[in-house]
């Protein structure tokens, strides 16, 4: 009887402490966490350094209660797998591209020429822009919280041989390039006069090396330098899309946090966003210079040429995407851009 009484008493004490913890924010804040955060680049890359900085700030500001381990180079799976695992809580956080497999409307992030230069990008992809807000709303439906976006670079085209008449829209470029399995890029390459071929990113190096394709679209100077600097000969800085990665977190985990812990995480997430916007344009230029040092010819376009690319994309390609993304969202983005 004494043993049974002690067991019952112990259970009641645990229940009582649990109730007190949930009713007392001061105790709830003392909960400890140990999370994983995934990204796509090798150890030592800028995103790796930024996420280590983020994790260190959170650890120090929480007095060691919140530990975040950084997993680089797709160690926890490619971005599509990681996004699914974040949605179910198997991975707590990630900073990466967003998969459109569950929601085609997320193609809005890859829309050609939502911004054509860095000045426009700071407005269109600012933290409070309708583009970012719409993406965050869509992520919530996948049980994912998009804390902030992490701007990466403007997209370009990299090839192993020269494209013909690259500044003329619709001219036959006589060049076959890899496109991601996202309709935006298929439409864009067709409109411009490239022959697009869907190929997984992991197979791209071999495909260019063996002549299956002559190049690729879907990345920027940093991505091409990191993966293909030994094989590409030309880089066309067409600024076709603005690459954003998102710092994401499992929704249930986020909602379980105290308000103080949410505020702490958002404080450093916003600093991460702002810090990156200040550095990204310079870094893009540095990677173009590094490509040039490796013998890659950098082909840049004038403001007028980029403006023509943007006008063509908005008039020819955007209407074709309305079925996938939604006319209201696309028209709203266009209005926002025109007003700004």
């Amino acid at each position: 009887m004494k043993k049974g009484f002690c067991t019952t008493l112990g259970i009641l004490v645990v229940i009582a402490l649990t109730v007190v913890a949930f009713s007392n924010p001061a105790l709830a804040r003392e909960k400890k966490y140990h999370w994983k955060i995934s990204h796509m680049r090798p150890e030592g890359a800028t995103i790796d350094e930024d996420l280590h900085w983020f994790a260190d700030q959170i650890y120090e500001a929480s007095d060691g209660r919140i530990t975040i381990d950084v997993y680089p180079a797709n160690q926890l799976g490619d971005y599509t797998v990681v996004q699914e695992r974040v949605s179910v809580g198997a991975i707590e956080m990630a900073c990466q591209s967003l998969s459109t497999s569950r929601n085609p409307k997320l193609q809005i992030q890859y829309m050609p020429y939502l911004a054509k230069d860095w000045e426009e990008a700071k407005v269109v992809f600012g933290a409070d822009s309708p583009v970012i807000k719409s993406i965050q709303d869509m992520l919530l439906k996948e049980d994912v919280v998009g804390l902030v976006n992490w701007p990466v670079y403007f997209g370009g085209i990299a090839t192993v041989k020269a494209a013909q008449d690259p500044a003329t829209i619709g001219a036959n470029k006589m060049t076959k390039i890899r496109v991601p399995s996202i309709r935006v890029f298929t439409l864009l390459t067709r409109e411009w006069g490239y022959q697009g071929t869907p190929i997984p990113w992991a197979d791209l190096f071999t495909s260019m090396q063996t002549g299956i394709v002559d190049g690729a679209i879907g990345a920027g100077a940093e991505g091409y330098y990191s993966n293909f600097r030994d094989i590409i000969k030309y880089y066309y800085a067409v600024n076709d899309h603005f690459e954003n990665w998102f710092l994401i977190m499992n929704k249930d985990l986020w909602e379980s946090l105290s308000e103080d812990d949410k505020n702490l995480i958002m404080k450093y997430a916003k600093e991460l966003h702002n810090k990156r916007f200040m550095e990204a344009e310079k870094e893009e230029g540095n990677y173009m210079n590094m490509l040039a040092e490796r013998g890659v010819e950098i082909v840049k376009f004038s403001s007028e040429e980029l403006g023509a690319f943007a006008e063509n994309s908005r008039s020819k390609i955007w209407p074709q995407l309305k079925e996938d993304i939604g006319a209201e969202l696309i028209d709203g983005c266009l209005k926002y851009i025109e007003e700004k």
Side-chain angles (χ1 to χ4, degrees):
M1 290 179 64
K2 288 182 179 179
K3 184 177 180 181
F5 174 76
C6 290
T7 301
T8 302
L9 180 62
I11 293 172
L12 291 173
V13 169
V14 170
I15 293 173
L17 289 174
T18 301
V19 171
V20 170
F22 275 103
S23 63
N24 188 332
L27 286 178
R29 287 197 298 270
E30 295 304 313
K31 186 174 181 180
K32 292 185 177 181
Y33 299 97
H34 196 156
W35 302 332
K36 300 180 289 295
I37 187 167
S38 170
H39 71 81
M40 303 184 296
R41 290 293 190 256
E43 186 175 354
T46 303
I47 181 61
D48 188 64
E49 293 177 351
D50 276 7
L51 291 183
H52 276 287
W53 172 87
F54 175 75
D56 290 344
Q57 301 307 309
I58 297 296
Y59 183 83
E60 292 174 11
S62 67
D63 295 324
R65 287 190 305 105
I66 304 176
T67 301
I68 306 175
D69 294 332
V70 180
Y71 287 82
N74 292 323
Q75 289 181 10
L76 302 181
D78 77 2
Y79 73 98
T80 59
V81 172
V82 168
Q83 186 169 321
E84 291 176 2
R85 297 186 72 189
V86 170
S87 73
V88 299
I91 298 172
E92 291 81 9
M93 302 183 74
C95 189
Q96 58 176 38
S97 296
L98 297 180
S99 169
T100 63
S101 60
R102 292 176 63 180
N103 186 354
K105 290 186 177 182
L106 281 171
Q107 289 184 86
I108 188 70
Q109 67 189 304
Y110 301 117
M111 287 278 287
Y113 298 101
L114 277 172
K116 69 177 187 296
D117 55 39
W118 281 96
E119 287 307 308
E120 287 189 2
K122 291 172 184 176
V123 174
V124 177
F125 296 98
D128 297 321
S129 79
V131 176
I132 297 303
K133 292 296 185 184
S134 66
I135 292 172
Q136 290 171 323
D137 289 343
M138 286 185 272
L139 287 174
L140 285 175
K141 295 177 182 178
E142 297 185 18
D143 295 321
V144 173
V145 176
L147 298 174
V148 293
N149 58 307
W150 192 85
V152 190
Y153 46 55
F154 273 98
I157 297 172
T159 64
V160 297
K161 72 173 190 178
Q164 302 297 308
D165 204 2
T168 302
I169 297 168
N172 189 345
K173 304 300 185 290
M174 305 295 291
T175 308
K176 184 190 295 184
I177 61 174
R178 171 264 182 185
V179 297
S181 297
I182 300 172
R183 188 168 179 237
V184 167
F185 293 101
T186 301
L187 294 173
L188 184 64
T189 51
R190 184 185 304 154
E191 180 69 23
W192 281 357
Y194 292 93
Q195 183 180 346
T197 302
I199 291 176
W201 180 260
D203 299 332
L204 181 52
F205 188 95
T206 302
S207 297
M208 284 196 288
Q209 193 175 43
T210 58
I212 294 174
V213 292
D214 305 309
I217 193 172
E222 179 268 340
Y224 293 127
Y225 179 86
S226 299
N227 296 278
F228 309 109
R229 60 181 178 269
D230 294 327
I231 190 171
I232 61 174
K233 301 299 181 185
Y234 300 88
Y235 178 71
Y236 299 94
V238 292
N239 291 8
D240 60 276
H241 75 287
F242 189 70
E243 182 81 7
N244 265 299
W245 295 345
F246 274 77
L247 181 63
I248 59 176
M249 187 176 200
N250 174 260
K251 180 182 174 183
D252 289 342
L253 173 59
W254 172 256
E255 292 180 345
S256 73
L257 299 177
S258 69
E259 287 304 312
D260 282 354
D261 281 346
K262 287 180 182 177
N263 291 336
L264 184 152
I265 291 168
M266 281 305 304
K267 175 181 186 296
Y268 291 106
K270 289 178 179 178
E271 287 189 22
L272 184 74
H273 166 89
N274 294 333
K275 173 175 175 286
R276 176 57 186 173
F277 248 126
M278 290 189 295
E279 299 170 350
E281 182 177 5
K282 181 180 178 181
E283 184 183 77
E284 181 183 64
N286 290 341
Y287 273 103
M288 285 192 194
N289 292 334
M290 291 163 66
L291 283 171
E293 291 171 0
R294 302 286 297 203
V296 176
E297 182 177 334
I298 307 298
V299 181
K300 294 186 178 181
F301 299 87
S302 68
S303 179
E304 291 75 17
E305 288 169 331
L306 291 176
F309 291 157
E311 183 179 354
N312 172 262
S313 295
R314 293 169 186 173
S315 63
K316 300 290 187 180
I317 297 174
W318 285 27
Q320 297 181 68
L321 295 169
K322 288 185 177 182
E323 183 178 344
D324 291 342
I325 298 173
E328 184 178 353
L329 180 55
I330 290 178
D331 291 342
C333 289
L334 182 57
K335 181 180 179 181
Y336 181 75
I337 291 168
E338 291 173 345
E339 289 175 349
K340 295 296 181 179

